[in-house]
Amino acid sequence: MAPPKRDTTGVLVRLHANTLSALDDLIDREEIDLSRPEMIRRLLKASLKDKGYDVREIVE
């Protein structure tokens, strides 16, 4: 059975070496193994949620 379709769009982001290093350090501190894209998604969603945006992913 295929996973459900999601309303997503790929985004290419270039990061400065210091930012990438900090991201990798943050990933290393997590209790679970996360990929860079997953950590970026989590950080972005947390930031948007803190600013009052509704970032729930509703799958119908």
Side-chain angles (χ1 to χ4, degrees), residues 10-56:
V11 177
L12 174 65
V13 177
R14 293 187 181 275
L15 301 176
H16 187 275
N18 290 339
T19 303
L20 193 57
S21 179
L23 181 67
D24 288 340
D25 184 61
L26 191 59
I27 290 169
D28 289 342
R29 293 174 185 224
E30 290 294 312
E31 293 181 7
I32 58 174
D33 188 32
L34 299 173
S35 65
R36 285 176 174 168
E38 180 59 25
M39 179 57 85
I40 291 168
R41 278 189 290 272
R42 289 178 183 212
L43 291 169
L44 180 59
K45 284 179 73 173
S47 177
L48 290 169
K49 186 177 178 184
D50 287 347
K51 293 180 184 337
Y53 290 93
D54 181 2
V55 291
R56 292 176 291 171

